[in-house]
Amino acid sequence: MAQRVPVASIQQYSQEHLREVLNTAGRRLTPQREKVLSLFQNLGPGHHLTADDVHHHLKQSGKKVSLATVYRSLKLLVDIRLLDEGEWQEGLHCYELRQGGSKAHHHMVCMRCGHTEEFISEVITAASRDVSQVTGFELTEVRLILRGICRRCRQRSKATAEALL
Amino acid sequence: MAQRVPVASIQQYSQEHLREVLNTAGRRLTPQREKVLSLFQNLGPGHHLTADDVHHHLKQSGKKVSLATVYRSLKLLVDIRLLDEGEWQEGLHCYELRQGGSKAHHHMVCMRCGHTEEFISEVITAASRDVSQVTGFELTEVRLILRGICRRCRQRSKATAEALL
DNA sequence: ATGCCTGCAAAGGATTTGCACCCTA
DNA sequence: TAGGGTGCAAATCCTTTGCAGGCAT
């Protein structure tokens, strides 16, 4: 297991990384963009937020960023590959902090409570690479979503069923 | 390989299946719903259409079904599990005929031309089951999307690059 | 200073919904 | 005949965009 790096460092690093990447592209590091990125960093990896979630979180923290700007920043951060975007729950476009390395992590979404777990599978990654290679496909992204009912919800419904007997 | 069943039979079967399922649920088989389902059946499996695509296709065939009804029918057909819904291309909700069996088929989408290939991987299916089992997750659906550049587009851009020399 | 960014509000696109009429079961 | 379905248009929801002023570089 990789050692956990202090949050402060991660933030520091990405803040600089962000400024650098932006400036190189002739774009700017603004307080708004910083706030959006910080939100994800403070929550830590594994959190999936919609644009609206981000807007609300920031508003509650007293950090005002307009919704339009939230949308613009999220898109930007995805371009820069600091965030990932996906529709894990039907109809909900969410963003999450991009995991440090090249590890493709996958999602397991509970259709009852919406809880999302992440996992990594070397087998699946390898299989994806194989399929791509055979097809002459240049693989950029592997995205796997398992949908179903999580353990907690299964136990809950089991308990409910028993109570009805 | 399973023997290929004549299209007519499939249609026949699903038409009846559709009526049966609907009636059982106190709902009705209408010409509109039939037209929407037929469109997918006539195109055959592997076609991904948006609600708007369906609307246009039907209009061109002289079969008028209002867009609102197309939306309502698509949702219904997904509920009945005759169609599958997915966002394979960013921001495009598409529908496709649900493959007969329990085989989870996956998608490989070219980010340049939008072409979509399908494939089946026993390895990935098995790995998904394993992960679910370990986590106590009741698996309902496995959805894998590989994004990248298809062979044709790679060759095309290679040719273009050479022409520029 | 320059011109990229922001906030606001309006525009836009996709999907849903209310309602009066229609038609299947 | 009853009540689910349809078409139409209006309403919603989510996201993008135009514009005037603001602020990094």
Side-chain angles (χ1 to χ4, degrees), chain B residues 121-139:
Chain B
S121 164
E122 207 35 71
V123 176
I124 289 172
T125 305
S128 301
R129 268 200 289 267
D130 289 350
V131 173
S132 306
Q133 194 156 41
V134 170
T135 324
F137 196 78
E138 183 184 325
L139 191 58

Side-chain angles (χ1 to χ4, degrees), chain B residues 8-93:
Chain B
S9 311
I10 294 177
Q11 264 179 261
Q12 212 48 48
Y13 165 69
S14 292
Q15 223 73 264
E16 276 322 304
H17 176 54
L18 183 53
R19 161 170 278 123
E20 201 178 304
V21 174
L22 289 174
N23 289 348
T24 304
R27 320 199 63 186
R28 297 167 185 181
L29 177 56
T30 66
Q32 289 86 339
R33 291 170 181 177
E34 230 172 288
K35 285 171 192 160
V36 172
L37 178 57
S38 296
L39 172 59
F40 283 95
Q41 292 175 324
N42 291 333
L43 289 177
H47 282 83
H48 301 79
L49 306 180
T50 62
D52 214 55
D53 290 338
V54 172
H55 186 230
H56 278 91
H57 274 265
L58 291 178
K59 184 173 281 182
Q60 288 188 334
S61 318
K63 306 175 196 290
K64 304 285 170 59
V65 179
S66 78
L67 185 54
T69 296
V70 168
Y71 274 106
R72 288 187 277 230
S73 302
L74 288 173
K75 181 165 284 186
L76 180 68
L77 291 170
V78 169
D79 284 346
I80 298 179
R81 333 220 96 195
L82 284 177
L83 296 183
D84 275 323
E85 191 269 342
E87 183 180 358
W88 294 289
Q89 309 230 60
E90 298 299 309
L92 275 188
H93 290 83

Side-chain angles (χ1 to χ4, degrees), chain B residues 96-122:
Chain B
E96 67 173 350
L97 201 54
R98 176 170 270 234
Q99 313 289 81
S102 54
K103 292 276 178 201
H105 71 288
H106 304 116
H107 294 85
M108 213 176 324
V109 184
C110 176
M111 299 173 77
R112 197 160 295 166
C113 69
H115 175 71
T116 301
E117 293 225 23
E118 309 193 336
F119 65 96
I120 289 175
S121 164
E122 207 35 71

Side-chain angles (χ1 to χ4, degrees), chain A residues 13-27:
Chain A
Y13 166 70
S14 292
Q15 224 72 265
E16 277 322 305
H17 176 54
L18 182 54
R19 163 171 278 122
E20 203 178 303
V21 174
L22 289 174
N23 289 348
T24 303
R27 320 197 64 185

Side-chain angles (χ1 to χ4, degrees), chain A residues 62-140:
Chain A
K63 306 176 197 287
K64 303 286 170 57
V65 178
S66 78
L67 185 55
T69 297
V70 168
Y71 273 106
R72 288 188 277 230
S73 302
L74 288 173
K75 180 164 285 189
L76 180 69
L77 292 169
V78 169
D79 283 347
I80 299 179
R81 334 220 95 196
L82 284 177
L83 295 184
D84 276 322
E85 190 269 341
E87 183 178 357
W88 294 289
Q89 308 231 60
E90 298 299 308
L92 275 189
H93 291 83
C94 293
Y95 297 83
E96 69 172 348
L97 202 54
R98 176 171 269 233
Q99 313 289 82
S102 53
K103 293 276 180 201
H105 70 287
H106 305 116
H107 295 85
M108 212 178 320
V109 184
C110 176
M111 299 173 76
R112 198 161 294 167
C113 68
H115 175 71
T116 301
E117 291 223 26
E118 310 194 337
F119 66 95
I120 290 174
S121 164
E122 207 36 69
V123 177
I124 290 171
T125 305
S128 301
R129 268 200 288 266
D130 289 350
V131 173
S132 307
Q133 195 156 39
V134 170
T135 322
F137 196 78
E138 183 183 325
L139 192 58
T140 303

